[in-house]
């Protein structure tokens, strides 16, 4: 299973990077959220898949999956959500003030 | 704290006091309150003379950074004394001269004297320091104060140009010198000059010895304006004349000579040292004297003359170092006479060149021009100035009975003597030395005559002058009169100097030639018989007179030496190239486009990770421990991949957002399958909220336009993104295939209930075992929400452009 997961991660990274290289700000934001998904799946895959029950001790199972990466991913999900929403509102405001979301036109001033 | 320390620090303290002092409403010239300082120093150094002559070494040491072996150690030996006397003596005369030269009301006098005192103190520090780092520090202060003094009239373009040029060149050399000093510290473990000199010969075979030699010489050559680093000196003539007289003829440009003389005991046995100094010196000598003939500005003539005379002294120091090649005493003493000539000429040059600069200053001051084409016939108006000029120039040309005659004779003796050197199988090259020396002396004679006779004799053309010329006031004449008198006295009674100054200085340069308690016996006589040198001098006089007479008709002297390529053009072009090249380079890659920067980052990521994986052979896929695959997972996988790949192809914002949301929900499903219920829960909520947020702002967002990209750009994008994807897949596979050690999660699983009383291990980790992460993550969310709030509410109308406001 890890093989397929790694390939999915690769695809997520590839499309994420491709979107980040676009001109449109909206595409860039979508690209970053795809990258986030890729990272989360990568973290999960790295900890070995399906080695036991969910890490709930009430299950009474013999072995459990690794709980540590899950905690890390959970933290990461929340942080990336915060960042994405801020980024999103930033893009919205930038568009409202500057009238474009084309990255080629958002270049700052000369001699800056 | 010894008296020597006081002597060095006194000018600094005085300068500091002058700076903080409230602007004095002086009825008299500020220079008068400066004058006691150099006079006091001069008297002090005179009083040290007897003890130095007796071979005692005055020294003192103050710890500065003892842990780095850096101490403010100073010592006074013959060489240091000679330079200290020059610095303080000519310093006194220059201050006196500047009092009459600079106008009390028009000039920023306080600045001038602060800079001058800084320079004086730094120069004393250079010649008295024992610690190399201290020496370097003072060396750079001389560069900086010289920079300030050259640009004293800073509203002139040329002053700023000259100051910057001299700064760049001398600081470049200074840094090279610092590198040389550091190499010495690596070799010997000490920064102390005296220790290095006393252990001379112990590091000659070290691999760093020759690099240190070259680097230190680079410092000396740039400071002393040796070819091809001389180009800053003529441009430094934009400084006020007292500065030119003091810094750029008598003291600062001799700092390089001091350095060479000081390091002679260490390096003298090296053939490279001999060749570099002698050849560079003689080339500078002939080039400078030839260039001086071509100038029309009096100060420019003197600048090139200074360059050539410095070359003369430098080559003499190089020839003198030949003494170290011989172990036999008599041979050594024979070659050491070149060093004696160098020291003698060093004193003579400071004396007559100081006087000549002051004369030029007077002419400039009283007529308003320094152009020899406009000057002439001043003899009857300025007789005293003329007398001084005659003494100075005749001494420079090497005519009896002035001091320059003696040092020129000794120079000829040295270059004739060097042809006897049988060490290097290069007799032809050595035989060139007397020829070059003789030709350079002819040139020197020529321009010396030009300086005095073009200015003071010939047809008066006073209508061309800005001012009505008249004799200078007595105060302005005082200093050059003293120097001219010294030129005569040293010429008639040269042994006045030999016992007091030259012998101790010789002892400092050639310590190896002396037995303990012994001393050099130097005796210079005006008349030394019918020797070849005398005939050479006669030839110089005849040929020099010829050059002077023919000068107006020799067209080669009025054209630039090389029209296309000259050193100044090279320097200017180099500076321009550096400036424009760096600008162009920066503009080339700092395009301002975010995409380009992201490309750099990703390309670097691909290359570094790819190289790392390849180089360490880390790519390995070990499928043994992989989990089994079920159909259900395959389907989710496929849906995820398909929805993700579709995103770049859709042209509607709505579809793109929904496809991204679909990818997020597939990730949620993965979390379900891979036994992560908390993650699944969170991911689902977050995905839902995100999609809702996206859709909420959907109305305000611009229409997603079809990307208008060139095929080439698209290929680049595709290549980079595919590269990143492949690299990440490889990293993931290689990493999951190998497990170096067991996870620490067993601890959490075992102790979650025992220690923390919770059965949901993930939650226990989040709030108990690793609660800190959670706290800061909450902070992140808080900051993000505040940011969102601020972004929406904060609406500064002023920074909204007119066109956009209508949207």
């Amino acid at each position: 299973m890890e093989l397929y997961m790694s390939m999915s991660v690769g695809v997520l990274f590839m499309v994420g990077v491709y979107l980040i290289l676009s001109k449109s700000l909206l595409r860039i934001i979508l690209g970053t959220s795809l990258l986030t998904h890729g990272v989360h799946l990568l973290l999960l895959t790295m900890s070995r898949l399906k080695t036991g029950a969910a890490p709930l001790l009430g299950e009474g199972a013999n072995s459990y999956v690794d709980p540590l990466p899950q905690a890390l991913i959970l933290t990461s999900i929340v942080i990336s959500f915060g960042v994405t929403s801020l980024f999103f509102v930033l893009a919205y405001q930038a568009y409202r003030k500057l009238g474009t979301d084309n990255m080629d036109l958002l270049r700052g001033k000369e001699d800056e | 704290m010894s008296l020597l320390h006081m002597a060095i620090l006194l000018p600094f303290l005085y300068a500091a006091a002058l700076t903080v002092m409230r602007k004095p409403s002086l009825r008299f010239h500020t220079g008068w309150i400066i004058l006691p300082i150099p006079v006091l120093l001069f008297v002090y150094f005179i009083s040290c003379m007897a003890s130095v002559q007796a071979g005692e070494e005055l020294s003192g040491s103050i710890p500065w950074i003892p842990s780095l072996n850096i101490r403010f150690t100073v010592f006074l030996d013959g060489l240091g004394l000679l330079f200290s006397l020059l610095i303080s003596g000519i310093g006194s005369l220059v201050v006196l001269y500047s009092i009459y030269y600079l106008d009390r009301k028009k000039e920023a006098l306080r600045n001038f004297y602060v800079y001058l005192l800084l320079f004086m103190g730094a120069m004393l520090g250079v010649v008295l320091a024992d610690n190399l780092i201290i020496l370097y520090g003072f060396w750079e202060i001389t560069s900086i104060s010289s920079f300030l003094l050259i640009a004293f009239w800073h509203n002139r373009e040329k002053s700023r140009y000259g100051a910057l040029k001299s700064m760049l060149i001398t600081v470049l050399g200074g840094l090279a010198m610092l590198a040389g000093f550091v190499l010495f510290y690596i070799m010997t473990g000490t920064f102390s000059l005296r220790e290095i000199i006393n252990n001379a010969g112990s590091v000659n075979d070290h691999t760093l010895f020759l690099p240190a030699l070259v680097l230190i010489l680079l410092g000396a050559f740039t400071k002393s304006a040796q070819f091809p680093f001389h180009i800053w000196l003529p441009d430094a003539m934009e400084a006020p004349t007292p500065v030119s007289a003091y810094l750029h003829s008598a003291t600062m440009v001799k700092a390089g000579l001091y350095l060479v003389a000081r390091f002679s005991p260490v390096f003298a046995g090296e053939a490279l040292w001999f060749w570099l100094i002698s050849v560079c010196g003689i080339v500078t000598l002939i080039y400078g004297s030839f260039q001086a003939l071509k100038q029309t500005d009096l100060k420019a003539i003197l600048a090139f003359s200074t360059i050539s005379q410095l070359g003369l002294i430098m080559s003499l120091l190089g020839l003198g170092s030949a003494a170290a090649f011989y172990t036999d005493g008599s041979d050594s003493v024979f070659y050491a006479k070149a060093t004696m000539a160098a020291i003698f000429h060093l004193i003579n040059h400071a004396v007559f060149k100081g006087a000549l600069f002051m004369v030029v200053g007077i002419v400039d001051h009283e007529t308003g021009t320094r152009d020899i084409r406009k000057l002439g016939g001043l003899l009857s108006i300025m007789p005293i100035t003329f007398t001084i000029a005659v003494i100075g120039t005749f001494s420079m040309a090497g005519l009896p009975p002035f001091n320059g005659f003696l040092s020129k004779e000794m120079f000829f003796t040295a270059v004739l003597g060097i042809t006897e050197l049988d060490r290097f199988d290069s007799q032809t090259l050595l035989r060139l030395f007397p020829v070059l020396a003789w030709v350079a002396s002819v040139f020197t004679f020529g321009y010396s005559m030009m300086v005095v006779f073009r200015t003071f004799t010939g047809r008066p053309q006073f209508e061309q002058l800005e001012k009505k010329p008249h004799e200078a006031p007595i105060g302005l004449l005082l200093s050059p009169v003293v120097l001219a008198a010294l030129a005569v006295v040293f010429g008639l009674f040269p042994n006045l100097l030999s016992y007091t100054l030259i012998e101790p200085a010789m002892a400092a340069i050639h310590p190896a030639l002396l037995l303990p308690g012994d001393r050099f016996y130097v005796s210079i006589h005006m008349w030394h018989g019918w020797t070849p040198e005398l005939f050479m001098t006669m030839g110089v006089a005849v040929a020099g007179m010829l050059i002077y007479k023919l000068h107006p008709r020799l067209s080669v002297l009025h054209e630039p030496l090389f029209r296309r390529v000259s050193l100044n053009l090279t320097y200017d072009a180099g500076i321009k190239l550096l400036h424009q090249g760096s600008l162009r380079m920066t503009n080339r890659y700092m395009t301002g486009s975010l995409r380009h920067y992201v490309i750099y980052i990703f390309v670097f990521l691909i290359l570094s990770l790819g190289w790392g994986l390849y180089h360490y052979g880390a790519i390995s896929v070990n499928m043994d421990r992989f989990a089994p695959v079920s159909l259900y997972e395959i389907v989710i996988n496929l849906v995820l991949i398909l929805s993700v790949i579709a995103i770049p192809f859709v042209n509607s914002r709505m579809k793109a957002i929904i496809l991204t949301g679909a990818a997020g929900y597939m990730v949620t499903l993965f979390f379900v399958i891979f036994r992560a219920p908390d993650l699944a829960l969170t991911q689902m909520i977050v995905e839902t909220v995100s999609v809702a947020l996206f859709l909420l702002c959907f109305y305000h967002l611009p229409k997603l336009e079809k990307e208008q990209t060139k095929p080439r750009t698209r290929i680049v994008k595709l290549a980079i993104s595919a590269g990143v994807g492949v690299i990440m897949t490889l990293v993931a596979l290689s990493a999951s295939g190998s497990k170096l050690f067991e996870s620490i999660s067993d601890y959490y699983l075992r102790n979650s209930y025992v220690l923390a009383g919770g059965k949901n291990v993930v939650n226990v980790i989040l709030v108990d075992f690793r609660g800190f992460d959670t706290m800061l993550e909450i902070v992140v969310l808080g900051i993000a929400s505040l940011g969102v709030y601020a972004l929406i509410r904060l609406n500064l109308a002023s920074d909204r452009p007119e066109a956009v406001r209508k949207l």
Side-chain angles (χ1 to χ4, degrees), chain B residues 353-367:
Chain B
K353 194 52 67 70
L356 282 177
F357 266 108
M358 290 175 184
V359 162
V360 169
I362 291 171
V363 169
D364 188 14
H365 208 260
E366 306 306 334
T367 64

Side-chain angles (χ1 to χ4, degrees), chain A residues 1 8 21 50 66 93 96, chain B residues 595 627 633 637 745 791 804:
Chain A
M1 190 62 223
S8 293
L21 294 174
K50 297 201 282 189
D66 197 339
Q93 278 296 55
R96 241 179 44 141
Chain B
R595 188 150 34 132
E633 292 153 4
N637 233 333
S745 299
L791 268 176
V804 178

Side-chain angles (χ1 to χ4, degrees), chain B residues 494-538:
Chain B
N495 286 326
L496 210 59
L497 287 173
S498 52
Y499 307 130
T500 48
L501 284 178
I502 298 179
E503 284 172 10
M506 290 279 286
I509 300 176
H510 291 297
L513 294 188
L514 284 181
L515 297 170
D518 202 2
R519 68 183 186 93
F520 284 98
Y521 293 96
V522 175
S523 170
I524 306 166
H525 299 287
M526 181 59 96
W527 178 249
H528 42 69
W530 295 103
T531 53
E533 294 89 333
L534 197 65
F535 292 110
M536 278 171 84
T537 302
M538 288 177 187

Side-chain angles (χ1 to χ4, degrees), chain A residues 5-42:
Chain A
M5 287 308 289
S6 301
M7 282 157 72
S8 293
V9 168
V11 169
L12 278 169
F13 266 96
M14 179 177 138
V15 177
V17 169
Y18 187 84
L19 288 176
I20 282 177
L21 294 174
S22 340
K23 279 185 198 160
S24 144
L25 203 48
L26 178 62
R27 280 206 170 91
I28 291 175
I29 299 174
L30 294 180
T32 56
S33 54
L34 289 186
L35 275 188
T36 319
H37 292 325
V39 170
H40 294 162
L41 286 185
L42 184 64

Side-chain angles (χ1 to χ4, degrees), chain B residues 72-221:
Chain B
F72 187 6
T73 311
V74 291
F75 73 112
L76 186 72
D77 65 349
L79 195 60
L81 179 71
L82 165 67
F83 275 89
S84 310
L85 282 173
L86 279 183
I87 293 161
S88 52
I90 297 191
S92 316
L93 295 174
V94 161
V95 170
L96 179 66
Y97 179 79
S98 71
I99 291 172
Y100 291 93
Y101 187 83
L102 294 172
D103 193 288
R104 184 158 71 88
K105 300 215 169 68
K106 284 182 206 150
E107 308 284 4
L109 285 178
R110 212 148 53 125
N111 292 0
F112 181 81
Y113 286 112
V114 166
Y115 302 158
L116 202 69
L117 283 176
L118 272 186
F119 172 78
M120 197 182 289
M123 204 58 214
L124 284 176
V126 166
V127 299
L128 296 179
D130 173 63
N131 192 293
L132 290 177
I133 296 297
I134 301 289
L135 196 160
Y136 170 74
F138 283 123
W139 183 276
E140 290 300 20
I141 300 177
T142 63
S143 293
I144 293 167
S145 50
S146 158
F147 169 80
L148 291 168
L149 282 168
I150 294 171
F152 178 64
W153 289 314
H154 49 77
N155 45 359
R156 295 187 194 169
E157 168 86 39
K158 287 184 82 179
S159 297
R160 298 198 301 269
Y161 172 78
L164 188 64
K165 195 173 183 180
S166 73
M167 180 80 160
L168 283 176
I169 293 176
T170 52
V171 166
L172 180 90
L175 285 177
M177 190 183 82
L178 175 65
F181 288 170
V182 171
L183 292 186
F184 256 103
Y185 184 70
I186 294 170
M187 285 188 282
T188 60
T190 176
F191 277 127
S192 166
L193 250 175
R194 279 176 298 174
E195 279 180 41
I196 290 174
I197 291 170
N198 288 339
N199 296 321
S202 62
V203 290
N204 281 16
D205 299 326
H206 202 286
T207 42
L208 296 178
F209 188 67
L210 286 184
L213 186 156
V214 172
L215 286 169
I216 289 177
L217 269 191
L218 200 60
F221 284 173

Side-chain angles (χ1 to χ4, degrees), chain A residues 1-15 17-24 26-30 33-35 37 40-42 44-50 52-58 64-75 77-79 81-86 88-90 92-93 95-99 101 103-104 106-107, chain B residues 591-595 598-599 602 625-629 633 637 641 644-645 647-648 650 656 660 664 670-671 674-677 679 682-683 686-687 689-690 693-694 697 700-702 704-705 707-708 714 717-718 721-722 724-725 728-729 732-733 735-736 739 743 745 748-749 752-753 759-762 765-766 770 777 781 784 787-788 791-792 795 799 801 804:
Chain A
M1 190 62 223
E2 276 85 344
L3 180 65
Y4 297 101
M5 287 308 289
S6 301
M7 282 157 72
S8 293
V9 168
V11 169
L12 278 169
F13 266 96
M14 179 177 138
V15 177
V17 169
Y18 187 84
L19 288 176
I20 282 177
L21 294 174
S22 340
K23 279 185 198 160
S24 144
L26 178 62
R27 280 206 170 91
I28 291 175
I29 299 174
L30 294 180
S33 54
L34 289 186
L35 275 188
H37 292 325
H40 294 162
L41 286 185
L42 184 64
L44 195 71
T45 313
M46 289 299 93
S47 69
R48 312 233 69 90
L49 300 169
K50 297 201 282 189
L56 302 169
L57 294 182
Y64 296 97
V65 294
D66 197 339
L68 193 57
Q70 296 195 8
L72 297 183
I73 295 171
L74 196 62
T75 311
I77 289 174
V78 175
I79 288 174
F81 170 66
V83 172
T84 308
S85 52
L86 182 74
F88 197 71
V89 175
L90 195 65
Y92 160 69
Q93 278 296 55
Y95 175 68
R96 241 179 44 141
K97 297 225 160 135
L98 304 171
D101 76 329
M103 288 311 292
D104 281 356
L106 295 172
R107 283 203 181 200
Chain B
T591 53
S593 157
L594 178 71
R595 188 150 34 132
V598 174
I599 286 176
F602 282 130
R625 301 171 61 178
F626 281 6
V629 188
E633 292 153 4
N637 233 333
I641 289 174
V644 165
I645 285 181
I647 296 174
V650 298
T660 313
F670 273 129
F671 287 153
F674 296 135
R675 277 87 158 172
L679 289 189
T682 317
Q683 178 68 31
V686 162
E687 203 54 44
V689 174
S690 302
L693 189 69
F694 274 77
C697 295
H700 300 282
L701 280 172
L704 204 57
E705 285 163 21
E707 291 265 301
Q708 296 291 336
R714 206 174 306 160
K717 275 168 70 179
L718 204 64
S721 48
V724 173
M728 288 318 290
T729 310
L733 281 176
S736 59
K739 195 159 192 180
S743 159
S745 299
Y748 294 127
L749 289 169
S752 173
Y753 190 68
K759 290 188 173 173
N760 184 337
V761 186
V762 173
I765 290 174
L766 280 175
R770 300 178 59 88
E777 159 201 341
L781 261 194
V788 167
L791 268 176
I792 291 174
N795 207 354
D799 50 58
V804 178

